[in-house]
């Protein structure tokens, strides 16, 4: 009797530990290449989205990433600033099936969050895919001055419309500094002083040290994401870290 009573508590304790663990490890640990779905959304030019990148990022291709891959529920996620090459496969919904002549690709920088939903395209979790069988959904800022208007293949004569809405795609993680169209623009890369603690847009997140912590989930202050060249210009102003700390704590106490 007592053995079973104890056993019960142990079991309960075990379950609590397991579930705490599960809620910790809920972000999708996605491979560096795979399949995904692609939707598009309207992002006004110059708009500063969830990652707090600069207005200049919108002059180049950007996208939002589904929440459980983005890595935060409310603010900066580890995906902020990352670049992905997205290559179209085919539209999900088209009758008859549409086989595109070309499968164009675009390199995007992640600047925004696509919120987790029950059954939308951004509903993928570590355990569950969206209705197209993908864990990840990219929401492309489009139309955009950065992407040609005829980027998505279409056949208006046959279907009566141009926009298929959702596409099956493949993705791969790529280095921003070599492949993203905004690579020559420090501001667009997010590698500027002015971002301070209110933004986290690494020029090219590569290691945990220059990856955005999940601001809301870990209450961390974003790392200094400026590239080395920009950093050296600032070594003369010792008040910068202090100011960042003060601004950061004001932000946190709000
Ligand atoms: C989209 O991709 C999924 C997963 O690879 C596949 O099962 C599905 O058949 C594809 N949809 C279309 C319309 O090709």
């Amino acid at each position: 009797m007592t053995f079973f009573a104890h056993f019960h508590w142990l079991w309960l304790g075990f379950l609590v530990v397991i579930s705490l663990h599960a809620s910790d490890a809920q972000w999708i640990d996605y491979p560096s290449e795979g399949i995904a779905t692609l939707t598009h959304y309207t992002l006004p030019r110059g708009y500063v989205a969830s990652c707090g990148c600069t207005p200049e990022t919108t002059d180049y291709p950007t996208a939002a990433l589904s929440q459980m891959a983005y890595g935060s529920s409310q603010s900066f996620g580890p995906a902020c600033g990352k670049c992905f090459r997205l290559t179209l496969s085919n539209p999900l919904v088209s009758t008859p099936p549409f086989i595109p002549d070309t499968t164009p690709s675009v390199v995007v920088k992640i600047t925004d969050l696509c919120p987790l939903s029950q059954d939308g395209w951004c509903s993928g979790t570590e355990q569950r895919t969206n209705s197209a069988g993908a864990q990840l959904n990219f929401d492309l800022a489009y139309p955009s001055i950065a992407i040609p208007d005829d980027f998505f293949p279409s056949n208006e004569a046959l279907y009566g419309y141009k926009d298929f809405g959702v596409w099956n795609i493949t993705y791969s993680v790529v280095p921003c500094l070599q492949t993203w169209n905004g690579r020559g623009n420090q501001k667009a890369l997010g590698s500027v002083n002015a971002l301070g603690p209110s933004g986290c847009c690494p020029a090219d997140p590569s290691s945990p040290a220059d990856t955005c912590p999940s601001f809301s989930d870990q209450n961390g202050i974003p790392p200094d994401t400026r590239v080395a060249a920009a950093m050296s210009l600032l070594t003369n102003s010792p008040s910068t870290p202090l100011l960042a700390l003060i601004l950061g704590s004001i932000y946190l106490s709000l």
Side-chain angles (χ1 to χ4, degrees), residues 35 90-93 132-134 168:
I35 61 149
N90 57 306
L92 268 187
V93 186
N168 266 340

Side-chain angles (χ1 to χ4, degrees), residues 37 39 66 92 117 119-124 130-132 134-137 166:
T37 50
T39 49
S66 45
L92 268 187
S117 55
D119 47 21
W121 299 110
C122 292
S123 62
N130 64 21
S131 62
Q135 280 183 306
L136 272 57
N137 183 71
V166 192

